[in-house]
Amino acid sequence: MAGMTISKLSKMKASGDKIVSVTAYDASFAKLFAQCGIDFMLVGDSLGNVVQGQSSTLPVTVEQIAYHTEAVRRGAPDAFVMADMPFMSYATPEQACVEAAKLMRAGANMVKLEGGDWLLDTIRTLVDRSVPVCAHLGLLPQSVNVLGGYKIQGREQSAAENTVRQALALQQAGAQMLVLECVPTSLGQLISQKLDIPVIGIGAGAQTDGQILVMHDMFGLNSDYLPKFVKNFLADADDLQSAVELYIRQVKDGSFPGPEHTFE
């Protein structure tokens, strides 16, 4: 995975080569993922749930994301690493710059922010100051209290049209990648076709430019609750490395996610 860049990820989109991503939180798994050929890793604020045992991502701090980003970077020195900006760490463009700088110094190649129209100025400000940005639409875990729970987004025509409009606006503002979470397959496909930047899906169908899963979900470790869009790849593999290789293979050949992992 040496030398992955945003321009290479963009070329993968253009050539129809599926992009495969997974969350990582420590050096050992980062090293494993890099050796298996994962295209990029996300130090997700999902660490609140899967590492800290929190009920949501909201308690996670910038300092915690930075700590885990440093660990991932040490485990995979050449990897493309994205870091989540946690809840209320980018409420204003000025605050976003200060907090994003901490994550970039910790070893991130890009930061990810959740939200639509209200983020346009922030994205422009970050990009102008040399911070690459990945946007995030659909289900926004940091907005769970506003959304009223973890629900599929963009099912109604008006909501779908609004999501498409916001995706285009985020790209126009300078976002170089988009994560699309828990939307109908048709919407995932439409947004991927309309955008020039890579669209990475999680519960957004197989027609997006790539897929991302939370590491623990991919290994079936969250046995009390597995979202519909998750597959336990360890169940069909002999060890962790084989499970990661199976995940990569099935995303690349289009067999994951299947119809049973998606929403209509």
Side-chain angles (χ1 to χ4, degrees):
M1 189 165 67
M4 181 57 76
T5 62
I6 186 62
S7 58
K8 287 181 182 176
L9 291 167
S10 297
K11 284 176 184 168
M12 290 176 71
K13 174 188 173 98
S15 65
D17 184 10
K18 293 287 187 184
I19 298 165
V20 192
S21 180
V22 68
T23 64
Y25 313 98
D26 65 33
S28 299
F29 277 103
K31 183 178 181 181
L32 170 68
F33 296 148
Q35 289 172 341
C36 290
I38 285 280
D39 294 314
F40 76 89
M41 300 176 215
L42 168 67
V43 182
D45 58 5
S46 48
L47 69 86
N49 305 89
V50 298
V51 177
Q52 299 174 344
Q54 309 277 11
S55 60
S56 76
T57 63
L58 272 56
V60 177
T61 66
V62 171
E63 287 68 30
Q64 290 165 352
I65 294 280
Y67 169 88
H68 288 276
T69 299
E70 288 173 353
V72 166
R73 176 55 71 203
R74 284 192 285 266
D78 300 320
F80 190 91
V81 177
M82 184 191 298
D84 264 337
M85 294 195 67
F87 179 67
M88 288 299 283
S89 66
Y90 48 99
T92 65
E94 294 74 24
Q95 183 194 19
C97 288
V98 172
E99 303 299 353
K102 297 175 186 175
L103 300 182
M104 298 295 285
R105 288 191 195 107
N109 300 104
M110 177 178 253
V111 298
K112 182 166 75 65
L113 296 76
E114 295 182 13
D117 296 330
W118 71 273
L119 273 179
L120 298 178
D121 283 345
T122 298
I123 291 173
R124 279 188 284 265
T125 302
L126 286 169
V127 172
D128 283 348
R129 286 151 184 77
S130 305
V131 178
V133 173
C134 174
H136 184 147
L137 287 174
L139 175 64
L140 307 177
Q142 291 178 15
S143 303
V144 63
N145 291 316
V146 175
L147 296 173
Y150 298 96
K151 302 173 181 175
I152 314 309
Q153 302 297 308
R155 274 197 157 141
E156 301 78 24
Q157 181 74 19
S158 58
E161 289 170 358
N162 192 43
T163 306
V164 172
R165 181 190 60 74
Q166 291 191 78
L168 288 164
L170 291 163
Q171 174 179 269
Q172 180 70 28
Q176 291 178 283
M177 201 183 311
L178 173 69
V179 167
L180 198 54
E181 182 168 356
C182 284
V183 300
T185 298
S186 55
L187 183 56
Q189 181 174 10
L190 179 63
I191 290 175
S192 301
Q193 290 169 344
K194 282 188 172 286
L195 264 57
D196 299 320
I197 60 176
V199 177
I200 310 300
I202 176 165
Q207 308 306 317
T208 52
D209 303 308
Q211 301 292 328
I212 186 166
L213 282 178
V214 170
M215 175 190 113
H216 297 68
D217 290 345
M218 183 179 73
F219 294 136
L221 291 176
N222 291 341
S223 52
D224 52 337
Y225 170 70
L226 278 183
K228 181 181 179 183
F229 55 77
V230 166
K231 177 175 178 178
N232 175 3
F233 287 89
L234 192 54
D236 299 318
D238 294 329
D239 54 32
L240 293 173
Q241 180 174 334
S242 303
V244 178
E245 290 168 348
L246 180 63
Y247 168 53
I248 294 171
R249 198 160 58 244
Q250 292 196 356
V251 171
K252 296 281 187 188
D253 68 20
S255 58
F256 177 81
E260 68 274 22
H261 308 115
T262 57
F263 308 99
E264 294 310 324

